[in-house]
Amino acid sequence: MGRKLLEFCMFLLLWGCAGSRATKLAPDSAVQIEQKEAGPSAEQQLTAFIRKHVQRVAPLAEALNRAFWRATAEGKPEAWAELTRLESQIRAIYESGRDRELLQHLQASGAVRSALLARQLEILRLAYEENRADAALQRRSVELGYEVARIFHDFHAVIAGRPIAEEQIYDMLRGEQDVHLRRAAWEAFYARGQAVADKLLELVRIRNRIARQLGYPDYYVMQLVLTEEDPSVLAAWLDRLEEASEQAFQSAKAEIDAALSRGYGLQAGELMPWHYDDPFMQELPAAGGPDPESLLARQDPVALVGRFFSGLGLDPGSVLERSDLSVRPGRKGVYCLDIDRAGDVRILASVRPGGAWTGTLLHEMGHAVYHTHIDPELPWLLRAPAHPAVSEAVAGLFERLAGQPRWIASMLSREGFDGQSEAFERARQRSMLLFVRWCLVMIHFERELYRDPDQDLTGLWWKLRQRFQGLSRPEGRAAADWAAVVHLSQAPVTYHHYLFGQMLASQWLFQLADQLGLESPDQIDWVGNRVAGRFLRERIFAPGASLRWDELVRRSAGGALDPACFIREYFPRSSPDRQPPGPSRAEAAQRSRHSTTIRLPKRSR
């Protein structure tokens, strides 16, 4: 996947839940329900509530985002305290039991008929539900979250007593031949886990206490429910992806290990985690041949990505103007941030030439153009992506292009790669394979972390890394390496969104290929394809959060979210006869008579 650094898209999403009982309202509710016969309707009351609510929350949310930018992009240490204060203020608004009871009453009345109002009501309901727990616990959760974030931000790895930048560690793991130095780099990278482990465990326990106060078994389950996801469906999909990828992974891992063993003069069973090119083993080892990294080594990713998105009709100009993509010593993290839900969207990254950073910037720009092309006429509460997984699907769809020979050839004005497309395809599938197996490690680990934070977490970590990645635990290794993954503290219960996003991206691509009359998604020529850009803009971006995520998926991908297309694209041998979900051609033709689905004409270049 070409992920040099952990990335996360920071945007404030307020989710909702449905189906609560009506309760008696306190007399001083923020917006009173008029009891007189001739009083305002439920929709009028909800409209008044939303107007006052947004007047309070929107300025605070914007200030929070600006403080986050100052803390991470500009290195302003005082901004960390401001972040804690602002988030606590926002949470205090959602702690109001009187407002929550009002929303319950309006929802139970069944009198809110407007689709846009009903969706906003659902989003508000869930935001208030999550903040129903003890206020002191909520404040401590916020404080701890930012304490851990700052430790990550300020942490500096050390090798032989000298500080070393994170990017230098990645460079060493990609190119250093001295095994002792490789091990030192690997251990220096994971030292941040030991630095945050105690506070992270305290944070996990507090989150669990909050969840149990609200009636959930643990925080992991609570977050799934509050983001309109089904824990049982997640478990089934994880099992299916593990099974589908198992044979391909064992074959690929054997070949990778054989090559590394020859290079280091070791037996395959003697390989340790630091012999691999990535500390999480989510990237392919460096290899010869026409790989994307070398082909794009002399290209400016900012210019390349900007030109590509302009060609799609998804103007990235305002995003690039506001972003900070310069290389600065000590900078950490990569993210896309929607500051105000009114067009101020920016990216933070230290972009360097090469295929990996081109893929990273394509990923982040995917998030960005989603935000900037949400219908600006939507209410503030709905001017956000339908769901984090949908945003990850958009980002993942674009990131894939950095490893696709058709896209590289078109962007570089080349005819092709002289019959080497098979090698590209093999590398593309292997790259995704390693990414999937790493995701399985993280998702299973985090689920178990919240189920029982007092278990042997280091033992669990290495058990899962052996199961899904075939990695051996170094003898005597007892450090809290698991805590080095920043998502556990800063983006909890989101790692499965990367997998869901890849599944959805594959469904979109099969849908597009079918509409273009192509045999497979890799035949889609994205460069200069304004029709494809319009499809994304109108069918996926514009609705924002006005639709539940599963409804948006059905409308845009031709069916419910399902791993079948993803498996068919990346692990074809595991399901050779399986067809991707969605309507048949006859059904699609019948549907097109009654819909506004964009029909994409076949392009010629």
Side-chain angles (χ1 to χ4, degrees), residues 397 400 504-514 520-521 524 526 569:
L397 183 152
R400 293 179 182 189
L504 179 52
S506 289
Q507 283 184 247
W508 283 336
L509 289 172
F510 273 98
Q511 184 83 345
L512 285 172
D514 182 66
S520 64
I524 298 173
W526 283 90
E569 183 176 4

Side-chain angles (χ1 to χ4, degrees), residues 440-513:
L440 290 172
V441 170
M442 278 304 305
I443 297 165
H444 281 275
F445 179 84
E446 188 172 21
R447 193 168 59 176
E448 281 295 301
L449 170 66
Y450 283 103
R451 188 190 63 80
D452 180 12
D454 296 318
Q455 65 181 297
D456 176 8
L457 295 172
T458 297
L460 172 65
W461 173 255
W462 286 108
K463 179 180 178 181
L464 292 172
R465 297 207 73 180
Q466 171 65 43
R467 171 181 168 184
F468 293 114
Q469 296 181 297
L471 290 179
S472 299
R473 179 178 183 172
E475 185 176 356
R477 183 74 179 173
D481 297 335
W482 52 270
V485 184
V486 68
H487 293 67
L488 293 175
S489 59
Q490 304 308 298
V493 198
T494 61
Y495 228 93
H496 64 287
H497 293 156
Y498 294 120
L499 272 187
F500 285 13
Q502 292 296 341
M503 287 161 48
L504 179 52
S506 289
Q507 283 184 247
W508 283 336
L509 289 172
F510 273 98
Q511 184 83 345
L512 285 172

